Amino acid sequence: LHSPAFEEHNDLHEKYHETIALLTFDASEYDDLIPQKLLDFLNHLWTEHLLVEDMKYKEFIQSNPHS
């Protein structure tokens, strides 16, 4: 995808992957706070990333279907 700010957006995805890895590791260590940490993470992912950050690309993708 060749769009404005792609690198910055890709960095956000890398941070989400890191967070998932850390939560997975913490879960393997029996961290009692994992359920709340996971809910907080997913809430942020869905409300901020998917509904805000990803939507920034909607118009670009619709107007450049072969990018």
Side-chain angles (χ1 to χ4, degrees), residues 2-67:
H2 303 351
S3 69
F6 175 74
E7 282 297 318
E8 182 180 327
H9 190 81
N10 194 49
D11 289 345
L12 289 174
H13 281 253
E14 287 298 320
K15 288 179 184 175
Y16 287 123
H17 292 171
E18 291 171 12
T19 301
I20 291 170
L22 288 171
L23 287 171
T24 301
F25 176 78
D26 288 348
S28 71
E29 297 294 316
Y30 303 105
D31 182 341
D32 291 338
L33 297 176
I34 287 300
Q36 186 59 51
K37 288 179 182 178
L38 183 57
L39 286 175
D40 292 345
F41 170 74
L42 291 174
N43 182 52
H44 175 78
L45 177 67
W46 291 328
T47 60
E48 293 299 318
H49 187 80
L50 296 176
L51 297 177
V52 176
E53 295 299 324
D54 284 348
M55 287 298 123
K56 291 178 182 177
Y57 291 90
K58 180 181 178 180
E59 183 178 328
F60 176 82
I61 291 170
Q62 288 175 335
S63 61
N64 298 284
H66 300 294
S67 292

